[in-house]
Amino acid sequence: MKDILQAKFMSEMCDTAANMYRLGWDERNGGNISYMLDGGEVAKYLDLERVVRTIPVMGVNKEDVDLSPLEGKIFLVTGTGKYFKNVKSDPETNLGIVRIGSGGEQVELLWGFKDGGRPTSEFPAHMMSHIARLGVDPENRVVMHSHPTYTLAMNFVHSLDEKSFTHSLWEMCTECIVVFPEGVGVLPWMLCGTSEIGRATAEKMKSFRLVVWAMHGIYGAGKTLDETFGLIETVEKAAQIYMLTAHLPRKNTIKDEDMLKLLQLFKVENYRKDFLDVK
Ligand code: 2HA
Ligand code: ZN
């Protein structure tokens, strides 16, 4: 068996968490990541027959949440109450590798959570989002939740209407409309860690890779950790520019006609046409 700490998926996960912490997006135990791994790849590092312990899926009403579509799938996931700050220096305590058990009601721990830990409190929202994204993109592997500062700040001063919120972000950086042409979904403030917010997030994930949890943070989904991180990073950059300029007189802007030119140049066809005011 190879040393799991040397696995590419492990170093990518550690580096991503470290970057998110460095950028101030994940204070204390804020944020969580789940990364679906290839079983064959994991088998190079772990005996898949050896279950360390079984952990019930917490915080959800069984009748509300059906994780059975993910049965047998393996995820590298951050732990509940764990700090992103500490992931890189101690992955075996702060991360776990879990397999969704039969019926989707419990997970089998294959590695990690060394101090008796469990997957993130947002595990149901993550898993429901994985199911939703896999339905529209079979290559989706990552769901990421974070508390990026300017995105959050913008939630307090900007309308939470999806079209208006997305349009303001698109206006702030030339490449925004190319990076997230489907826009950003927005949920009102809701209680986190519940089946309700999990279901609402997953519903949005059918049409968006980015979902703002108003006055809490953001969810991103993608094929890789880099893609998902890059989506959130781009929203955060746009929100930063918005917050640096919102109180100043606006002299210039990127117009809708300009955004259309960008979409043509980059041959992007699946954009939210109704979020633009030109056709
Ligand atoms: O895991 O960010 O939403 C801590 C959180 C909950
Ligand atoms: Zn959060």
Side-chain angles (χ1 to χ4, degrees), residues 3 14 21 25 44 57 66 89 91 123 143 174 204 241 275:
D3 175 6
C14 289
Y21 176 70
W25 300 354
K44 295 179 189 164
V57 175
D66 178 16
S89 61
F123 195 70
V143 172
T174 291
K204 293 281 181 204
I241 298 170
F275 282 7

Side-chain angles (χ1 to χ4, degrees), residues 62-154:
K62 245 195 293 181
E63 40 301 340
D64 284 354
V65 179
D66 178 16
L67 301 187
S68 60
L70 296 173
E71 207 177 286
K73 299 280 187 219
I74 299 176
F75 293 88
L76 175 59
V77 62
T78 51
T80 183
K82 299 295 189 253
Y83 292 20
F84 272 33
K85 176 171 75 71
N86 300 333
V87 167
K88 194 165 179 168
S89 61
D90 187 3
E92 203 171 346
T93 302
N94 296 289
L95 300 176
I97 294 180
V98 297
R99 179 169 55 207
I100 309 296
S102 79
E105 285 166 25
Q106 76 285 325
V107 299
E108 299 163 343
L109 181 67
L110 301 175
W111 175 89
F113 298 145
K114 201 173 62 176
D115 63 351
R118 290 189 285 109
T120 166
S121 59
E122 302 295 355
F123 195 70
H126 275 248
M127 294 302 116
M128 284 186 262
S129 296
H130 276 284
I131 294 169
R133 284 312 302 167
L134 287 167
V136 286
D137 175 7
E139 289 179 22
N140 194 84
R141 294 292 177 271
V142 175
V143 172
M144 190 180 278
H145 166 62
S146 183
H147 304 162
T149 313
Y150 291 93
T151 305
L152 262 161
M154 193 171 158

Side-chain angles (χ1 to χ4, degrees), residues 32-47:
N32 24 75
I33 308 175
S34 58
Y35 181 8
M36 195 170 102
L37 304 176
D38 175 67
E41 184 62 22
V42 181
K44 295 179 189 164
Y45 302 92
L46 297 176
D47 174 2

Side-chain angles (χ1 to χ4, degrees), residues 24-270:
W25 300 354
D26 296 279
E27 73 291 345
R28 199 173 181 274
N29 63 322
N32 24 75
I33 308 175
S34 58
Y35 181 8
M36 195 170 102
L37 304 176
D38 175 67
E41 184 62 22
V42 181
K44 295 179 189 164
Y45 302 92
L46 297 176
D47 174 2
L48 299 184
E49 302 295 314
R50 197 182 149 267
V51 175
V52 181
R53 59 195 154 90
T54 302
I55 307 170
V57 175
M58 305 290 282
V60 291
N61 309 320
K62 245 195 293 181
E63 40 301 340
D64 284 354
V65 179
D66 178 16
L67 301 187
S68 60
L70 296 173
E71 207 177 286
K73 299 280 187 219
I74 299 176
F75 293 88
L76 175 59
V77 62
T78 51
T80 183
K82 299 295 189 253
Y83 292 20
F84 272 33
K85 176 171 75 71
N86 300 333
V87 167
K88 194 165 179 168
S89 61
D90 187 3
E92 203 171 346
T93 302
N94 296 289
L95 300 176
I97 294 180
V98 297
R99 179 169 55 207
I100 309 296
S102 79
E105 285 166 25
Q106 76 285 325
V107 299
E108 299 163 343
L109 181 67
L110 301 175
W111 175 89
F113 298 145
K114 201 173 62 176
D115 63 351
R118 290 189 285 109
T120 166
S121 59
E122 302 295 355
F123 195 70
H126 275 248
M127 294 302 116
M128 284 186 262
S129 296
H130 276 284
I131 294 169
R133 284 312 302 167
L134 287 167
V136 286
D137 175 7
E139 289 179 22
N140 194 84
R141 294 292 177 271
V142 175
V143 172
M144 190 180 278
H145 166 62
S146 183
H147 304 162
T149 313
Y150 291 93
T151 305
L152 262 161
M154 193 171 158
N155 289 180
F156 289 88
V157 299
H158 193 286
S159 147
L160 295 174
D161 172 72
E162 277 168 0
K163 172 179 174 175
S164 161
F165 197 84
T166 297
H167 198 277
S168 290
L169 293 172
W170 281 350
E171 278 174 60
M172 293 300 124
C173 301
T174 291
E175 294 195 341
C176 272
I177 195 161
V178 177
V179 175
F180 51 95
E182 76 272 45
V184 174
V186 182
L187 287 178
W189 188 91
M190 292 173 78
L191 195 59
C192 52
T194 61
S195 352
E196 287 72 27
I197 201 166
R199 276 207 315 271
T201 308
E203 195 52 41
K204 293 281 181 204
M205 283 281 180
K206 291 179 183 167
S207 42
F208 300 103
R209 287 170 298 162
L210 288 158
V211 180
V212 164
W213 281 10
M215 293 158 287
H216 178 142
I218 191 164
Y219 261 71
K223 297 180 196 351
T224 63
L225 283 166
D226 265 359
E227 179 196 349
T228 315
F229 176 89
L231 283 169
I232 296 177
E233 185 181 32
T234 307
V235 166
E236 175 63 354
K237 178 67 177 272
Q240 180 174 15
I241 298 170
Y242 181 85
M243 292 310 295
L244 289 171
T245 55
H247 57 295
L248 301 170
R250 182 85 75 87
K251 299 271 175 67
N252 304 298
T253 196
I254 302 172
K255 301 187 201 64
D256 284 31
E257 299 88 88
D258 302 329
M259 294 186 207
L260 271 184
K261 287 181 201 157
L262 282 159
L263 292 165
Q264 281 155 8
L265 179 69
F266 288 95
K267 300 189 173 39
V268 178
E269 275 157 22
N270 289 331

